[in-house]
Amino acid sequence: GENVEQHPSTLSVQEGDSAVIKCTYSDSASNYFPWYKQELGKRPQLIIDIRSNVGEKKDQRIAVTLNKTAKHFSLHITETQPEDSAVYFCAASSRGNEKLTFGTGTRLTIIP
Amino acid sequence: GAGVSQSPSNKVTEKGKDVELRCDPISGHTALYWYRQRLGQGLEFLIYFQGNSAPDKSGLPSDRFSAERTGESVSTLTIQRTQQEDSAVYLCASSGLAGVGNEQFFGPGTRLTVL
């Protein structure tokens, strides 16, 4: 089955700087890659996703890149703000299978 | 409209007891998922329902765990003879359309504590 690895497990950045979180996946048939944000004590919420037919997607300060050959994808947050502090999870799912396999999460802390 | 709801929000039980956790998905959503999240950990897939298809039970950790879904509505996750390692937050999610790549909307979770 699919295996998703996520790095780093914790990340601290100065407010205004950029943050990058990286994930790798094992199943070459995976074709959908969402990112979820989970604030302390709250439910995960989708912030951005990418499908395998594109290499990059951007939504304001958030972008995701996908390298299918290397089987890795990354989340980029620019101009970080205190409200970006949360745990971020990457995930992957395969064609014909809606089950998401999640990474282990990255705890992002923005230092004011 | 209402999002995914779960009940109870918290459940404390004694080791060996059975528990039932409930999930009400967003109305009209055909797919429903259960996940387990241990403290400080990621989301562990448990089971997935899609319409009238046979559920994908590949994530259930043991035969003490089972889940049912009535049509395209409520789902119940049952844990029999609970153990301390079952302590976790159990999250339910639903999505609206069949096929890969549809956003999963999560409920608030049920925090289960097994004493």
Side-chain angles (χ1 to χ4, degrees), chain A residues 38 43 51 93-94 98-99, chain B residues 33 37 45 50 99 101 106:
Chain A
Q38 186 175 30
R43 70 192 77 184
R51 298 168 195 271
S93 67
S94 302
E98 295 191 43
K99 181 179 75 177
Chain B
Y33 312 78
Q37 186 174 33
F45 168 78
Q50 173 59 269
F106 283 84

Side-chain angles (χ1 to χ4, degrees), chain A residues 47-67:
Chain A
I47 55 171
I48 195 167
D49 57 14
I50 192 167
R51 298 168 195 271
S52 59
N53 58 344
V54 298
E56 184 174 359
K57 183 176 178 180
K58 191 173 182 180
D59 182 3
Q60 299 183 338
R61 297 186 297 109
I62 295 173
V64 57
T65 59
L66 171 65
N67 183 326

Side-chain angles (χ1 to χ4, degrees), chain A residues 31-32 36 38 41-47 49 51 87 89 93-105 107, chain B residues 3-4 31 33 35 37 40-43 45 48 50 56 58 91 95 97-108:
Chain A
N31 62 347
Y32 174 64
Y36 282 80
Q38 186 175 30
K42 296 191 176 180
R43 70 192 77 184
Q45 293 194 304
L46 180 72
I47 55 171
D49 57 14
R51 298 168 195 271
V87 178
F89 293 98
S93 67
S94 302
R95 190 174 299 111
N97 182 354
E98 295 191 43
K99 181 179 75 177
L100 286 175
T101 300
F102 283 84
T104 50
R107 181 174 300 279
Chain B
V4 178
Y33 312 78
Y35 296 91
Q37 186 174 33
Q41 303 295 313
L43 285 80
F45 168 78
Y48 156 54
Q50 173 59 269
D56 178 349
S58 60
L91 289 159
S95 65
L97 299 171
V100 174
N102 296 294
E103 179 177 356
Q104 294 187 20
F105 294 85
F106 283 84

Side-chain angles (χ1 to χ4, degrees), chain A residues 17-51:
Chain A
D17 288 350
S18 296
V20 180
I21 302 170
K22 298 181 179 182
C23 289
T24 60
Y25 60 98
S26 61
D27 187 351
S28 57
S30 288
N31 62 347
Y32 174 64
F33 308 92
W35 286 87
Y36 282 80
K37 176 183 180 181
Q38 186 175 30
E39 297 179 30
L40 188 63
K42 296 191 176 180
R43 70 192 77 184
Q45 293 194 304
L46 180 72
I47 55 171
I48 195 167
D49 57 14
I50 192 167
R51 298 168 195 271

